[in-house]
Amino acid sequence: MNTAILLIGGNLGDRIANLQKAIQYIAAEAGEVIKTSALYQTAPWGSVDQPDYLNQGLEIHTTLDALTLLHTLLGIERRIGRIRQEKWGARVIDIDLIFFNSEIVSLPELKLPHPRMHLRQFVLVPLNEIVPDYLHPVLHKTVRQLQQECPDDLSALKLNTDTQKH
């Protein structure tokens, strides 16, 4: 059994419903969802002239290998309505594979661990909630340490439970 750490997010349409749909598809097609973080609202990173994102961290157990998992996640994105047009542009859903066990992968279509995850609070804050002691296999630091050292000053605001229901 493999452990994969994912970050899901989006800033178009019904953001909460899209994240819930992504989790349902992931559970049905990719593997068992073991942990989910709270929802976090974050300012856009990169191209800033767009709505705020909702992001959520997931830990899953899967029998798929990393590349098959990636292709499965990309298929889920397409099914929910993701159209890839602009790098860092607005999107209905984004599913990023952050860690896969402790594997280090460098393929044209897949880099593991995610090469910029340690530079982004919107990734580290939700992951720190669910896997604070997960060790980055290249940087040899935990998610907690990476969050404490992260140079990104964009905040990730945890939504309260009442907000998540609406």
Side-chain angles (χ1 to χ4, degrees):
M1 189 64 61
N2 298 303
T3 297
I5 307 301
L6 311 176
L7 184 80
I8 62 175
N11 67 340
L12 295 177
D14 186 335
R15 299 175 303 168
I16 292 175
N18 292 335
L19 295 180
Q20 290 170 340
K21 240 187 267 186
I23 292 171
Q24 290 169 351
Y25 284 136
I26 289 166
E29 300 171 30
E32 181 183 3
V33 178
I34 303 301
K35 291 182 189 171
T36 60
S37 76
L39 297 177
Y40 289 86
Q41 182 163 313
T42 59
W45 202 95
S47 177
V48 296
D49 188 22
Q50 57 182 297
D52 283 351
Y53 279 79
L54 284 186
N55 289 296
Q56 188 172 28
L58 308 177
E59 178 182 358
I60 71 167
H61 287 170
T62 181
T63 57
L64 303 177
D65 61 76
L67 206 49
T68 304
L69 177 59
L70 174 68
H71 291 294
T72 301
L73 298 175
L74 292 172
I76 292 169
E77 285 183 346
R78 284 189 298 275
R79 200 161 326 115
I80 295 173
R82 171 87 187 260
I83 299 168
R84 292 178 180 272
Q85 292 176 319
E86 172 191 348
K87 188 175 179 91
W88 295 324
R91 62 211 51 183
V92 170
I93 192 70
D94 189 26
I95 307 172
D96 285 326
L97 179 51
I98 307 297
F99 294 116
F100 190 85
N101 299 321
S102 294
E103 290 184 21
I104 301 168
V105 177
S106 185
L107 298 170
E109 61 189 310
L110 178 62
K111 307 267 188 272
L112 288 172
H114 190 287
R116 292 170 302 283
M117 60 85 57
H118 64 288
L119 302 173
R120 299 174 174 173
Q121 288 289 1
F122 73 85
V123 175
L124 293 167
V125 171
L127 296 190
N128 189 46
E129 180 185 326
I130 60 171
V131 289
D133 298 319
Y134 208 96
L135 189 66
H136 192 293
V138 175
L139 301 176
H140 306 290
K141 294 181 179 183
T142 64
V143 169
R144 179 184 297 111
Q145 289 171 305
L146 292 171
Q147 185 193 350
Q148 291 167 348
E149 297 171 5
C150 182
D152 182 10
D153 60 359
L154 294 177
S155 62
L157 303 173
K158 187 176 189 176
L159 296 188
N160 67 40
T161 308
D162 292 336
T163 306
Q164 289 184 37
K165 291 179 184 171
H166 301 296

